Amino acid sequence: MKRIVTMQDISCLGKCSLTVIHPAVSAMGVECAVLPTALLSTHTAFPGPAVTDLSGCIPAVLDHWAAIGAAFDGILTGYLANARQAELALELIGRFGDGALVIQDPAMADHGRLYSGLGPEMVEAHRRICAKAD
């Protein structure tokens, strides 16, 4: 069975992020591993979502996956809560991307405006990830 990993947020309300991609990928018969970047009460189109940054957990997950020899046929990145997570996405690609299809969804803006809580540094961060994507 093919296996991908998707690195993006969990939005508790609103049809997006891990709540959408996981069942869609699973329905295609592909195992979908998840690497959550943040827990949001709603997606960012709602005003003032509560956000819990999960950056601190990600290095330990990557180390554990490496220790057990995890491999992925694809890597999909989505919403990243901050520039640190962009660096972690690049680490994910560097450690597990050999031979994998890398897809980057630069989820950071709509209608020419950055999502709430994201600054201009995220534009450059997503450029660096897009440079590694297929």
Side-chain angles (χ1 to χ4, degrees):
M1 173 183 278
K2 296 276 186 189
R3 175 191 292 158
I4 72 156
V5 58
T6 182
M7 180 178 180
Q8 57 186 292
D9 70 293
I10 300 169
S11 288
C12 298
L13 179 64
K15 291 179 97 171
C16 67
S17 66
L18 286 174
T19 61
V20 173
I21 196 67
H22 189 276
V25 169
S26 296
M28 293 187 298
V30 175
E31 180 184 351
C32 186
V34 299
L35 188 55
T37 58
L39 178 66
L40 286 77
S41 57
T42 64
H43 63 61
T44 56
F46 289 89
V51 179
T52 301
D53 183 337
L54 300 176
S55 299
C57 303
I58 294 171
V61 171
L62 297 178
D63 288 345
H64 183 236
W65 285 349
I68 64 170
F72 303 100
D73 300 295
I75 297 172
L76 167 63
T77 64
Y79 178 81
L80 305 172
N82 53 57
R84 168 74 176 122
Q85 290 182 357
E87 295 305 317
L88 291 167
L90 288 168
E91 183 179 342
L92 169 68
I93 293 165
R95 291 175 78 173
F96 298 96
D98 190 34
L101 176 67
V102 177
I103 301 169
Q104 159 65 352
D105 176 2
M108 65 178 160
D110 280 320
H111 310 292
R113 293 187 16 223
L114 290 171
Y115 293 155
S116 63
L118 299 183
E121 72 281 356
M122 290 305 292
V123 176
E124 183 55 37
H126 279 284
R127 280 190 181 113
R128 288 193 309 275
I129 299 167
C130 284
K132 302 286 185 184
D134 295 300

